[in-house]
Amino acid sequence: MESVIRNDKPWLAVKLFSLKTYEIRDFLKEKGINCFLPEQYVDIENPENQRIKHILKPVTRNLLFIEKPEDMKHFPSEMAQWPFKMAIIKPHPTSDHYAEISSHEMREFEEMCNPELRMKIFLTPEEARLKSGDKVLVTNGPMKGMTGRLVRKSKKYYLLKDMPGISIMIKVSRWCCKPTEKE
């Protein structure tokens, strides 16, 4: 997983209307835009020799995250002129602003998406809404300091992190979590 240069700018989720995910990511990087593409290892069997190959693939084909540009006023019209069709996700279709992700939340999301970490599940926003759980702070272990909702699935506990367009659950011990303040 490649490291992204960090500052305290918020991030935006971008919906892609193309299957050229890697080309779009590279195009944005060439334009100087920090971006993050959630990826995971997938096992592919070679039909000729029945060998399994582990390859890195995007979690979804139509979503990536970009650091919010300085000039947001002109950015959507600039995007419209690019060779790839894409749109910034809004919290609601009728909303007049974009769904922003704080730099802290994005940092935690990137850490949870690390392809080297096992025992994680990616969810659609609809599936994540169906999961109930208390807001917690992880106090011990490799995810110390992360926040999210503690949910249970198949007798295991997971830390659930909601993002615009995607959510992720990663296995955690409930004994390493403490409840946070209710909003």
Short mmCIF file of all heavy atoms in Angstrom, two decimals, residues 13-70:
data_model
loop_
_atom_site.label_atom_id
_atom_site.label_comp_id
_atom_site.label_asym_id
_atom_site.label_seq_id
_atom_site.Cartn_x
_atom_site.Cartn_y
_atom_site.Cartn_z
N ALA A 13 -15.11 11.64 -1.66
CA ALA A 13 -15.31 10.38 -2.37
C ALA A 13 -15.75 10.71 -3.79
O ALA A 13 -16.59 11.58 -3.99
CB ALA A 13 -16.35 9.53 -1.66
N VAL A 14 -15.18 10.02 -4.76
CA VAL A 14 -15.49 10.27 -6.17
C VAL A 14 -16.02 8.99 -6.81
O VAL A 14 -15.38 7.94 -6.74
CB VAL A 14 -14.23 10.76 -6.93
CG1 VAL A 14 -14.53 10.96 -8.40
CG2 VAL A 14 -13.69 12.04 -6.31
N LYS A 15 -17.20 9.11 -7.41
CA LYS A 15 -17.80 7.98 -8.13
C LYS A 15 -17.28 8.00 -9.56
O LYS A 15 -17.29 9.05 -10.21
CB LYS A 15 -19.32 8.10 -8.11
CG LYS A 15 -20.00 6.93 -8.77
CD LYS A 15 -21.50 7.06 -8.62
CE LYS A 15 -22.17 5.95 -9.37
NZ LYS A 15 -22.79 4.98 -8.52
N LEU A 16 -16.82 6.86 -10.04
CA LEU A 16 -16.27 6.73 -11.38
C LEU A 16 -17.30 6.09 -12.31
O LEU A 16 -17.99 5.15 -11.91
CB LEU A 16 -15.00 5.88 -11.36
CG LEU A 16 -13.92 6.29 -10.34
CD1 LEU A 16 -12.77 5.30 -10.38
CD2 LEU A 16 -13.45 7.69 -10.60
N PHE A 17 -17.36 6.57 -13.53
CA PHE A 17 -18.27 6.01 -14.53
C PHE A 17 -17.45 5.35 -15.64
O PHE A 17 -17.72 5.53 -16.82
CB PHE A 17 -19.19 7.10 -15.09
CG PHE A 17 -20.07 7.70 -14.03
CD1 PHE A 17 -19.69 8.87 -13.39
CD2 PHE A 17 -21.25 7.09 -13.65
CE1 PHE A 17 -20.48 9.43 -12.41
CE2 PHE A 17 -22.05 7.64 -12.66
CZ PHE A 17 -21.66 8.81 -12.04
N SER A 18 -16.43 4.62 -15.22
CA SER A 18 -15.52 3.94 -16.13
C SER A 18 -14.90 2.77 -15.39
O SER A 18 -14.78 2.80 -14.17
CB SER A 18 -14.43 4.91 -16.58
OG SER A 18 -13.41 4.22 -17.26
N LEU A 19 -14.50 1.76 -16.12
CA LEU A 19 -13.83 0.62 -15.50
C LEU A 19 -12.30 0.79 -15.49
O LEU A 19 -11.58 -0.09 -15.08
CB LEU A 19 -14.19 -0.67 -16.24
CG LEU A 19 -15.67 -1.07 -16.16
CD1 LEU A 19 -15.94 -2.32 -16.98
CD2 LEU A 19 -16.10 -1.26 -14.72
N LYS A 20 -11.82 1.94 -15.94
CA LYS A 20 -10.39 2.20 -16.02
C LYS A 20 -9.89 2.84 -14.71
O LYS A 20 -9.30 3.91 -14.70
CB LYS A 20 -10.10 3.12 -17.20
CG LYS A 20 -10.51 2.50 -18.52
CD LYS A 20 -10.27 3.43 -19.66
CE LYS A 20 -10.68 2.77 -20.97
NZ LYS A 20 -10.42 3.63 -22.11
N THR A 21 -10.11 2.14 -13.61
CA THR A 21 -9.81 2.67 -12.28
C THR A 21 -8.35 3.09 -12.13
O THR A 21 -8.06 4.18 -11.63
CB THR A 21 -10.17 1.62 -11.21
OG1 THR A 21 -11.47 1.10 -11.50
CG2 THR A 21 -10.16 2.22 -9.83
N TYR A 22 -7.44 2.22 -12.53
CA TYR A 22 -6.01 2.53 -12.37
C TYR A 22 -5.59 3.69 -13.28
O TYR A 22 -4.78 4.51 -12.89
CB TYR A 22 -5.15 1.30 -12.63
CG TYR A 22 -5.25 0.28 -11.52
CD1 TYR A 22 -5.79 -0.98 -11.75
CD2 TYR A 22 -4.81 0.57 -10.23
CE1 TYR A 22 -5.90 -1.91 -10.73
CE2 TYR A 22 -4.90 -0.36 -9.21
CZ TYR A 22 -5.45 -1.60 -9.46
OH TYR A 22 -5.55 -2.51 -8.45
N GLU A 23 -6.14 3.74 -14.49
CA GLU A 23 -5.83 4.85 -15.39
C GLU A 23 -6.30 6.17 -14.80
O GLU A 23 -5.61 7.18 -14.89
CB GLU A 23 -6.48 4.64 -16.77
CG GLU A 23 -5.78 3.62 -17.63
CD GLU A 23 -6.45 3.48 -18.99
OE1 GLU A 23 -6.73 4.52 -19.63
OE2 GLU A 23 -6.70 2.33 -19.39
N ILE A 24 -7.48 6.16 -14.21
CA ILE A 24 -8.03 7.38 -13.60
C ILE A 24 -7.17 7.80 -12.41
O ILE A 24 -6.83 8.97 -12.26
CB ILE A 24 -9.50 7.17 -13.18
CG1 ILE A 24 -10.35 6.97 -14.43
CG2 ILE A 24 -10.00 8.35 -12.36
CD1 ILE A 24 -11.77 6.52 -14.15
N ARG A 25 -6.79 6.83 -11.57
CA ARG A 25 -5.92 7.14 -10.43
C ARG A 25 -4.60 7.76 -10.90
O ARG A 25 -4.16 8.79 -10.37
CB ARG A 25 -5.64 5.87 -9.61
CG ARG A 25 -4.75 6.17 -8.40
CD ARG A 25 -4.19 4.94 -7.78
NE ARG A 25 -3.34 4.24 -8.73
CZ ARG A 25 -2.82 3.05 -8.53
NH1 ARG A 25 -3.07 2.41 -7.42
NH2 ARG A 25 -2.05 2.48 -9.44
N ASP A 26 -3.99 7.17 -11.91
CA ASP A 26 -2.72 7.69 -12.43
C ASP A 26 -2.91 9.08 -13.05
O ASP A 26 -2.06 9.96 -12.90
CB ASP A 26 -2.12 6.72 -13.45
CG ASP A 26 -1.74 5.39 -12.81
OD1 ASP A 26 -1.62 5.33 -11.56
OD2 ASP A 26 -1.58 4.41 -13.56
N PHE A 27 -4.03 9.29 -13.74
CA PHE A 27 -4.34 10.59 -14.33
C PHE A 27 -4.43 11.66 -13.24
O PHE A 27 -3.88 12.75 -13.38
CB PHE A 27 -5.66 10.49 -15.11
CG PHE A 27 -6.18 11.79 -15.64
CD1 PHE A 27 -5.66 12.33 -16.80
CD2 PHE A 27 -7.19 12.48 -14.97
CE1 PHE A 27 -6.15 13.54 -17.31
CE2 PHE A 27 -7.67 13.67 -15.45
CZ PHE A 27 -7.15 14.21 -16.62
N LEU A 28 -5.14 11.34 -12.15
CA LEU A 28 -5.28 12.30 -11.04
C LEU A 28 -3.93 12.61 -10.39
O LEU A 28 -3.64 13.75 -10.05
CB LEU A 28 -6.27 11.77 -10.00
CG LEU A 28 -7.72 11.68 -10.46
CD1 LEU A 28 -8.56 10.93 -9.44
CD2 LEU A 28 -8.30 13.06 -10.72
N LYS A 29 -3.11 11.59 -10.23
CA LYS A 29 -1.78 11.80 -9.64
C LYS A 29 -0.93 12.70 -10.53
O LYS A 29 -0.19 13.54 -10.04
CB LYS A 29 -1.09 10.46 -9.39
CG LYS A 29 -1.66 9.75 -8.19
CD LYS A 29 -0.92 8.47 -7.91
CE LYS A 29 -1.47 7.82 -6.67
NZ LYS A 29 -0.78 6.60 -6.31
N GLU A 30 -1.03 12.51 -11.85
CA GLU A 30 -0.30 13.37 -12.78
C GLU A 30 -0.74 14.81 -12.65
O GLU A 30 0.03 15.74 -12.87
CB GLU A 30 -0.49 12.88 -14.22
CG GLU A 30 0.30 11.64 -14.56
CD GLU A 30 -0.02 11.11 -15.96
OE1 GLU A 30 -0.60 11.86 -16.77
OE2 GLU A 30 0.30 9.95 -16.21
N LYS A 31 -2.01 15.03 -12.32
CA LYS A 31 -2.54 16.37 -12.12
C LYS A 31 -2.17 16.93 -10.74
O LYS A 31 -2.57 18.04 -10.40
CB LYS A 31 -4.06 16.38 -12.28
CG LYS A 31 -4.50 16.16 -13.71
CD LYS A 31 -5.77 16.94 -13.93
CE LYS A 31 -6.03 17.26 -15.36
NZ LYS A 31 -5.29 18.33 -15.94
N GLY A 32 -1.45 16.15 -9.93
CA GLY A 32 -1.03 16.60 -8.61
C GLY A 32 -2.08 16.45 -7.53
O GLY A 32 -2.00 17.08 -6.48
N ILE A 33 -3.07 15.60 -7.78
CA ILE A 33 -4.14 15.38 -6.81
C ILE A 33 -3.84 14.12 -6.00
O ILE A 33 -3.68 13.03 -6.57
CB ILE A 33 -5.50 15.24 -7.53
CG1 ILE A 33 -5.81 16.53 -8.29
CG2 ILE A 33 -6.62 14.89 -6.55
CD1 ILE A 33 -7.00 16.43 -9.23
N ASN A 34 -3.76 14.26 -4.67
CA ASN A 34 -3.59 13.10 -3.81
C ASN A 34 -4.85 12.25 -3.90
O ASN A 34 -5.95 12.76 -3.78
CB ASN A 34 -3.38 13.51 -2.35
CG ASN A 34 -1.95 13.93 -2.08
OD1 ASN A 34 -1.04 13.58 -2.81
ND2 ASN A 34 -1.77 14.66 -1.02
N CYS A 35 -4.69 10.95 -4.11
CA CYS A 35 -5.86 10.09 -4.17
C CYS A 35 -5.56 8.75 -3.50
O CYS A 35 -4.40 8.37 -3.32
CB CYS A 35 -6.34 9.89 -5.61
SG CYS A 35 -5.13 9.30 -6.76
N PHE A 36 -6.62 8.08 -3.13
CA PHE A 36 -6.51 6.78 -2.48
C PHE A 36 -7.52 5.83 -3.11
O PHE A 36 -8.69 6.16 -3.25
CB PHE A 36 -6.78 6.89 -0.98
CG PHE A 36 -6.84 5.56 -0.29
CD1 PHE A 36 -5.69 4.79 -0.16
CD2 PHE A 36 -8.03 5.06 0.19
CE1 PHE A 36 -5.74 3.54 0.45
CE2 PHE A 36 -8.09 3.81 0.81
CZ PHE A 36 -6.93 3.06 0.95
N LEU A 37 -7.04 4.66 -3.49
CA LEU A 37 -7.87 3.63 -4.10
C LEU A 37 -7.84 2.41 -3.18
O LEU A 37 -6.79 1.78 -3.04
CB LEU A 37 -7.32 3.26 -5.48
CG LEU A 37 -8.00 2.12 -6.23
CD1 LEU A 37 -9.46 2.46 -6.53
CD2 LEU A 37 -7.25 1.82 -7.52
N PRO A 38 -8.96 2.08 -2.51
CA PRO A 38 -8.97 0.89 -1.65
C PRO A 38 -8.75 -0.37 -2.49
O PRO A 38 -9.44 -0.58 -3.49
CB PRO A 38 -10.36 0.90 -1.02
CG PRO A 38 -10.92 2.25 -1.27
CD PRO A 38 -10.23 2.79 -2.48
N GLU A 39 -7.79 -1.19 -2.08
CA GLU A 39 -7.46 -2.42 -2.80
C GLU A 39 -7.41 -3.60 -1.84
O GLU A 39 -7.21 -3.42 -0.64
CB GLU A 39 -6.11 -2.29 -3.50
CG GLU A 39 -6.05 -1.22 -4.56
CD GLU A 39 -4.65 -1.05 -5.12
OE1 GLU A 39 -3.77 -0.61 -4.36
OE2 GLU A 39 -4.46 -1.37 -6.30
N GLN A 40 -7.57 -4.79 -2.40
CA GLN A 40 -7.44 -6.01 -1.61
C GLN A 40 -6.84 -7.10 -2.48
O GLN A 40 -6.92 -7.05 -3.70
CB GLN A 40 -8.78 -6.45 -1.05
CG GLN A 40 -9.79 -6.86 -2.10
CD GLN A 40 -11.14 -7.23 -1.50
OE1 GLN A 40 -11.26 -7.44 -0.31
NE2 GLN A 40 -12.16 -7.29 -2.33
N TYR A 41 -6.22 -8.10 -1.82
CA TYR A 41 -5.68 -9.23 -2.55
C TYR A 41 -6.81 -10.19 -2.91
O TYR A 41 -7.67 -10.48 -2.08
CB TYR A 41 -4.62 -9.97 -1.74
CG TYR A 41 -3.29 -9.25 -1.75
CD1 TYR A 41 -2.86 -8.54 -0.65
CD2 TYR A 41 -2.49 -9.27 -2.89
CE1 TYR A 41 -1.64 -7.87 -0.67
CE2 TYR A 41 -1.28 -8.61 -2.93
CZ TYR A 41 -0.86 -7.91 -1.81
OH TYR A 41 0.33 -7.25 -1.85
N VAL A 42 -6.80 -10.66 -4.15
CA VAL A 42 -7.80 -11.59 -4.65
C VAL A 42 -7.05 -12.80 -5.20
O VAL A 42 -6.01 -12.66 -5.84
CB VAL A 42 -8.64 -10.92 -5.78
CG1 VAL A 42 -9.65 -11.88 -6.35
CG2 VAL A 42 -9.32 -9.67 -5.26
N ASP A 43 -7.59 -13.98 -4.94
CA ASP A 43 -6.99 -15.21 -5.46
C ASP A 43 -7.58 -15.51 -6.83
O ASP A 43 -8.80 -15.61 -6.98
CB ASP A 43 -7.26 -16.38 -4.53
CG ASP A 43 -6.57 -16.22 -3.18
OD1 ASP A 43 -5.59 -15.46 -3.11
OD2 ASP A 43 -7.02 -16.85 -2.21
N ILE A 44 -6.71 -15.65 -7.82
CA ILE A 44 -7.11 -15.96 -9.19
C ILE A 44 -6.46 -17.29 -9.57
O ILE A 44 -5.25 -17.44 -9.43
CB ILE A 44 -6.66 -14.86 -10.18
CG1 ILE A 44 -7.16 -13.49 -9.77
CG2 ILE A 44 -7.06 -15.21 -11.60
CD1 ILE A 44 -8.64 -13.28 -9.96
N GLU A 45 -7.27 -18.22 -10.07
CA GLU A 45 -6.72 -19.51 -10.48
C GLU A 45 -6.41 -19.48 -11.97
O GLU A 45 -7.25 -19.08 -12.78
CB GLU A 45 -7.71 -20.64 -10.18
CG GLU A 45 -7.15 -22.00 -10.51
CD GLU A 45 -8.10 -23.14 -10.18
OE1 GLU A 45 -9.08 -22.90 -9.46
OE2 GLU A 45 -7.87 -24.25 -10.67
N ASN A 46 -5.21 -19.90 -12.32
CA ASN A 46 -4.81 -20.02 -13.71
C ASN A 46 -5.42 -21.31 -14.25
O ASN A 46 -5.10 -22.39 -13.76
CB ASN A 46 -3.28 -20.04 -13.81
CG ASN A 46 -2.80 -20.06 -15.24
OD1 ASN A 46 -3.52 -20.46 -16.15
ND2 ASN A 46 -1.56 -19.63 -15.44
N PRO A 47 -6.31 -21.23 -15.27
CA PRO A 47 -6.98 -22.44 -15.76
C PRO A 47 -6.02 -23.45 -16.40
O PRO A 47 -6.30 -24.64 -16.42
CB PRO A 47 -7.97 -21.91 -16.79
CG PRO A 47 -7.59 -20.52 -17.08
CD PRO A 47 -6.72 -20.04 -15.97
N GLU A 48 -4.87 -22.99 -16.90
CA GLU A 48 -3.93 -23.90 -17.56
C GLU A 48 -3.22 -24.82 -16.58
O GLU A 48 -3.09 -26.00 -16.80
CB GLU A 48 -2.91 -23.11 -18.37
CG GLU A 48 -3.54 -22.34 -19.51
CD GLU A 48 -2.56 -21.39 -20.18
OE1 GLU A 48 -1.36 -21.44 -19.89
OE2 GLU A 48 -3.04 -20.59 -20.99
N ASN A 49 -2.72 -24.25 -15.47
CA ASN A 49 -1.94 -25.07 -14.54
C ASN A 49 -2.56 -25.15 -13.14
O ASN A 49 -1.94 -25.66 -12.22
CB ASN A 49 -0.50 -24.57 -14.45
CG ASN A 49 -0.40 -23.13 -13.98
OD1 ASN A 49 -1.38 -22.55 -13.54
ND2 ASN A 49 0.80 -22.58 -14.07
N GLN A 50 -3.76 -24.66 -12.95
CA GLN A 50 -4.50 -24.67 -11.69
C GLN A 50 -3.72 -24.05 -10.52
O GLN A 50 -3.95 -24.38 -9.37
CB GLN A 50 -4.93 -26.10 -11.29
CG GLN A 50 -6.19 -26.58 -11.95
CD GLN A 50 -5.95 -27.20 -13.29
OE1 GLN A 50 -4.93 -27.83 -13.51
NE2 GLN A 50 -6.88 -27.02 -14.20
N ARG A 51 -2.80 -23.15 -10.82
CA ARG A 51 -2.07 -22.45 -9.76
C ARG A 51 -2.84 -21.21 -9.34
O ARG A 51 -3.44 -20.54 -10.17
CB ARG A 51 -0.68 -22.05 -10.24
CG ARG A 51 0.19 -23.26 -10.44
CD ARG A 51 1.57 -22.93 -10.10
NE ARG A 51 2.30 -24.17 -9.98
CZ ARG A 51 3.54 -24.24 -9.73
NH1 ARG A 51 4.23 -23.14 -9.59
NH2 ARG A 51 4.14 -25.39 -9.61
N ILE A 52 -2.78 -20.91 -8.07
CA ILE A 52 -3.46 -19.74 -7.51
C ILE A 52 -2.46 -18.58 -7.48
O ILE A 52 -1.32 -18.74 -7.02
CB ILE A 52 -3.96 -20.01 -6.07
CG1 ILE A 52 -4.89 -21.22 -6.04
CG2 ILE A 52 -4.61 -18.78 -5.49
CD1 ILE A 52 -6.26 -21.00 -6.61
N LYS A 53 -2.91 -17.44 -7.97
CA LYS A 53 -2.09 -16.23 -7.97
C LYS A 53 -2.80 -15.20 -7.10
O LYS A 53 -4.02 -15.04 -7.18
CB LYS A 53 -1.97 -15.71 -9.40
CG LYS A 53 -0.64 -15.14 -9.73
CD LYS A 53 -0.39 -14.98 -11.22
CE LYS A 53 -1.25 -13.94 -11.88
NZ LYS A 53 -0.78 -13.56 -13.20
N HIS A 54 -2.06 -14.51 -6.24
CA HIS A 54 -2.62 -13.45 -5.40
C HIS A 54 -2.33 -12.12 -6.09
O HIS A 54 -1.16 -11.76 -6.24
CB HIS A 54 -2.00 -13.45 -4.00
CG HIS A 54 -2.10 -14.78 -3.32
ND1 HIS A 54 -3.28 -15.30 -2.88
CD2 HIS A 54 -1.15 -15.69 -3.01
CE1 HIS A 54 -3.06 -16.47 -2.32
NE2 HIS A 54 -1.78 -16.73 -2.39
N ILE A 55 -3.38 -11.42 -6.51
CA ILE A 55 -3.18 -10.14 -7.17
C ILE A 55 -3.96 -9.05 -6.43
O ILE A 55 -5.00 -9.31 -5.83
CB ILE A 55 -3.55 -10.18 -8.67
CG1 ILE A 55 -5.03 -10.52 -8.86
CG2 ILE A 55 -2.67 -11.15 -9.43
CD1 ILE A 55 -5.50 -10.35 -10.29
N LEU A 56 -3.45 -7.85 -6.51
CA LEU A 56 -4.07 -6.70 -5.88
C LEU A 56 -5.08 -6.10 -6.84
O LEU A 56 -4.75 -5.78 -7.98
CB LEU A 56 -2.97 -5.67 -5.55
CG LEU A 56 -3.20 -4.72 -4.42
CD1 LEU A 56 -3.59 -5.41 -3.13
CD2 LEU A 56 -1.95 -3.89 -4.17
N LYS A 57 -6.33 -5.97 -6.38
CA LYS A 57 -7.41 -5.41 -7.21
C LYS A 57 -8.18 -4.38 -6.41
O LYS A 57 -8.26 -4.47 -5.18
CB LYS A 57 -8.38 -6.52 -7.65
CG LYS A 57 -7.81 -7.45 -8.67
CD LYS A 57 -8.92 -8.27 -9.26
CE LYS A 57 -8.63 -8.39 -10.74
NZ LYS A 57 -9.74 -8.64 -11.54
N PRO A 58 -8.80 -3.41 -7.09
CA PRO A 58 -9.64 -2.44 -6.37
C PRO A 58 -10.80 -3.15 -5.69
O PRO A 58 -11.34 -4.12 -6.21
CB PRO A 58 -10.16 -1.52 -7.48
CG PRO A 58 -9.24 -1.71 -8.63
CD PRO A 58 -8.72 -3.13 -8.52
N VAL A 59 -11.17 -2.64 -4.52
CA VAL A 59 -12.31 -3.20 -3.78
C VAL A 59 -13.58 -2.98 -4.58
O VAL A 59 -14.41 -3.87 -4.71
CB VAL A 59 -12.42 -2.58 -2.38
CG1 VAL A 59 -13.69 -3.00 -1.68
CG2 VAL A 59 -11.20 -2.94 -1.55
N THR A 60 -13.76 -1.78 -5.11
CA THR A 60 -14.87 -1.49 -6.01
C THR A 60 -14.30 -0.89 -7.28
O THR A 60 -13.25 -0.25 -7.26
CB THR A 60 -15.88 -0.49 -5.40
OG1 THR A 60 -15.24 0.76 -5.24
CG2 THR A 60 -16.42 -0.97 -4.08
N ARG A 61 -14.99 -1.05 -8.36
CA ARG A 61 -14.51 -0.53 -9.65
C ARG A 61 -14.94 0.91 -9.88
O ARG A 61 -14.55 1.52 -10.85
CB ARG A 61 -15.05 -1.39 -10.80
CG ARG A 61 -14.50 -2.77 -10.86
CD ARG A 61 -13.05 -2.77 -10.91
NE ARG A 61 -12.47 -3.52 -11.99
CZ ARG A 61 -11.21 -3.34 -12.32
NH1 ARG A 61 -10.48 -2.44 -11.75
NH2 ARG A 61 -10.69 -4.05 -13.27
N ASN A 62 -15.77 1.46 -9.00
CA ASN A 62 -16.34 2.77 -9.31
C ASN A 62 -16.15 3.79 -8.20
O ASN A 62 -16.95 4.73 -8.09
CB ASN A 62 -17.83 2.62 -9.63
CG ASN A 62 -18.64 2.17 -8.44
OD1 ASN A 62 -18.09 1.70 -7.46
ND2 ASN A 62 -19.93 2.31 -8.52
N LEU A 63 -15.12 3.65 -7.38
CA LEU A 63 -14.95 4.57 -6.26
C LEU A 63 -13.49 4.78 -5.94
O LEU A 63 -12.71 3.83 -5.89
CB LEU A 63 -15.67 3.99 -5.03
CG LEU A 63 -15.69 4.85 -3.78
CD1 LEU A 63 -16.62 6.05 -3.97
CD2 LEU A 63 -16.15 4.03 -2.59
N LEU A 64 -13.12 6.04 -5.75
CA LEU A 64 -11.82 6.37 -5.18
C LEU A 64 -11.97 7.66 -4.38
O LEU A 64 -13.01 8.30 -4.42
CB LEU A 64 -10.71 6.44 -6.23
CG LEU A 64 -10.73 7.42 -7.38
CD1 LEU A 64 -10.31 8.81 -6.94
CD2 LEU A 64 -9.73 6.95 -8.41
N PHE A 65 -10.93 8.00 -3.65
CA PHE A 65 -10.98 9.15 -2.75
C PHE A 65 -9.89 10.14 -3.15
O PHE A 65 -8.78 9.72 -3.48
CB PHE A 65 -10.77 8.70 -1.30
CG PHE A 65 -11.85 7.76 -0.83
CD1 PHE A 65 -11.75 6.40 -1.05
CD2 PHE A 65 -12.98 8.26 -0.21
CE1 PHE A 65 -12.76 5.54 -0.64
CE2 PHE A 65 -14.00 7.41 0.20
CZ PHE A 65 -13.88 6.04 -0.02
N ILE A 66 -10.23 11.43 -3.12
CA ILE A 66 -9.26 12.47 -3.45
C ILE A 66 -9.20 13.49 -2.33
O ILE A 66 -10.18 13.72 -1.62
CB ILE A 66 -9.58 13.18 -4.78
CG1 ILE A 66 -10.92 13.93 -4.70
CG2 ILE A 66 -9.54 12.22 -5.95
CD1 ILE A 66 -11.16 14.89 -5.86
N GLU A 67 -8.03 14.09 -2.18
CA GLU A 67 -7.89 15.17 -1.22
C GLU A 67 -8.60 16.39 -1.80
O GLU A 67 -8.48 16.68 -3.00
CB GLU A 67 -6.41 15.46 -1.01
CG GLU A 67 -6.12 16.33 0.16
CD GLU A 67 -4.63 16.43 0.42
OE1 GLU A 67 -3.86 16.64 -0.56
OE2 GLU A 67 -4.24 16.30 1.58
N LYS A 68 -9.35 17.08 -0.97
CA LYS A 68 -10.14 18.22 -1.42
C LYS A 68 -9.22 19.31 -2.00
O LYS A 68 -8.30 19.77 -1.33
CB LYS A 68 -10.95 18.79 -0.27
CG LYS A 68 -11.90 19.90 -0.68
CD LYS A 68 -12.72 20.39 0.49
CE LYS A 68 -13.62 21.53 0.08
NZ LYS A 68 -14.39 22.04 1.22
N PRO A 69 -9.47 19.73 -3.24
CA PRO A 69 -8.63 20.77 -3.87
C PRO A 69 -8.85 22.13 -3.22
O PRO A 69 -9.91 22.40 -2.64
CB PRO A 69 -9.11 20.80 -5.32
CG PRO A 69 -9.97 19.61 -5.50
CD PRO A 69 -10.44 19.18 -4.17
N GLU A 70 -7.85 22.99 -3.34
CA GLU A 70 -7.93 24.35 -2.79
C GLU A 70 -9.07 25.13 -3.44
O GLU A 70 -9.84 25.80 -2.77
CB GLU A 70 -6.61 25.11 -3.03
CG GLU A 70 -5.43 24.54 -2.28
CD GLU A 70 -5.47 24.83 -0.80
OE1 GLU A 70 -6.09 25.83 -0.39
OE2 GLU A 70 -4.89 24.05 -0.05
#
